[in-house]
């Protein structure tokens, strides 16, 4: 039974899984799958894309559980893993949709990615803004996404990224200023 586990119970499962308990790892993955899918759907609203990203995130959790320090909530660490998986999936989908030689066989059957959303329903301007920020100011992306997209509290973000609370607040504020001109008006 993994439905409705309390945060302390999830942390306990994660500690046991980190220690090599395979049954605990299986129970942990089952317990956090719905949360992971919801995080991925926040970036990739098209369900099939979000499910792919969720699967990647759960594989990363299983393979990298040892990198969770155990000092903060496991779910905060999971959020970061899920966001990164969703963004990687977005990048992969975007790359797959790049225009090709129009004379290539079958090219006429593919939609033009310059005019067609790669991922139905996604805020492409937000994803593009985060890609630009990541290239130019990578220190602002993770705190900004965790706060403004996923609503994590500042103290959890500070613990997750390993910087003082004041620094996290400043990074988020500055990240917002940099991202604002990159976003289209709704």
């Amino acid at each position: 039974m993994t439905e409705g586990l309390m945060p302390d119970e999830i942390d306990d499962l994660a500690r046991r899984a980190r220690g090599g308990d395979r049954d605990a790892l299986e129970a942990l993955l089952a317990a956090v799958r719905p949360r992971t899918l919801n995080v991925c759907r926040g970036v990739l609203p098209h369900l099939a894309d979000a499910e792919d990203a969720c699967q990647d995130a759960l594989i990363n959790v299983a393979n990298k559980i040892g990198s969770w320090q155990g000092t903060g909530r496991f779910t905060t660490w999971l959020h970061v893993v899920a966001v990164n998986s969703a963004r990687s999936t977005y990048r992969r989908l975007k790359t797959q949709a790049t225009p090709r030689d129009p004379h290539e066989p079958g090219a006429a059957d593919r939609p033009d990615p310059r005019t067609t959303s790669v991922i139905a329903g996604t805020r492409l301007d937000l994803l593009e803004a985060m890609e630009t920020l990541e290239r130019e100011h990578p220190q602002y992306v993770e705190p900004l996404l965790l706060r403004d997209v996923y609503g994590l509290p500042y103290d959890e973000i500070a613990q997750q990224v390993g910087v003082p609370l004041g620094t996290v607040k400043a990074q988020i504020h500055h990240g917002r200023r940099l991202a604002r001109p990159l976003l289209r008006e709704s």
Side-chain angles (χ1 to χ4, degrees):
M1 178 178 134
T2 57
E3 292 296 315
L5 291 179
M6 300 301 295
D8 288 340
E9 294 170 309
I10 290 173
D11 289 350
D12 181 56
L13 276 176
R15 283 186 191 90
R16 291 181 16 226
R18 190 180 66 192
D21 183 336
R22 300 300 294 173
D23 292 336
L25 179 61
E26 291 301 320
L28 176 67
L29 295 175
V32 300
R33 187 185 186 288
R35 174 187 293 251
T36 305
L37 181 59
N38 284 338
V39 169
C40 292
R41 287 197 76 179
V43 176
L44 304 164
H46 186 344
L47 182 59
D49 297 335
E51 286 174 343
D52 285 348
C54 177
Q55 187 64 31
D56 289 345
L58 294 175
I59 289 169
N60 285 333
V61 166
N63 290 334
K64 299 177 182 179
I65 186 83
S67 68
W68 175 58
Q69 299 299 314
T71 54
R73 287 281 182 207
F74 174 79
T75 52
T76 302
W77 180 80
L78 174 70
H79 246 85
V80 174
V81 172
V83 167
N84 289 339
S85 291
R87 292 181 66 224
S88 292
T89 299
Y90 170 75
R91 281 190 215 88
R92 181 176 41 82
L93 291 169
K94 183 179 169 188
T95 300
Q96 289 172 352
T98 55
R100 300 180 190 202
D101 181 359
H103 304 294
E104 177 185 333
D109 298 334
R110 286 193 300 270
D112 184 346
R114 294 168 296 178
T115 58
T116 306
S117 171
V118 179
I119 307 153
T122 298
R123 282 276 322 257
L124 292 177
D125 61 334
L126 175 63
L127 292 171
E128 291 298 326
M130 292 303 104
E131 292 292 313
T132 299
L133 271 183
E134 189 165 50
R135 281 191 306 276
E136 299 173 7
H137 306 283
Q139 70 274 23
Y140 303 125
V141 174
E142 186 176 357
L144 185 60
L145 282 173
L146 291 174
R147 179 67 188 155
D148 288 355
V149 176
Y150 296 102
L152 289 182
Y154 290 107
D155 59 333
E156 283 187 34
I157 297 167
Q159 191 171 33
Q160 179 61 41
V161 299
V163 298
L165 181 61
T167 302
V168 161
K169 288 181 177 182
Q171 286 177 331
I172 291 168
H173 174 74
H174 195 66
R176 286 173 179 157
R177 275 195 4 227
L178 292 169
R180 201 168 289 125
L182 301 172
L183 298 173
R184 289 191 290 271
E185 291 294 321
S186 303

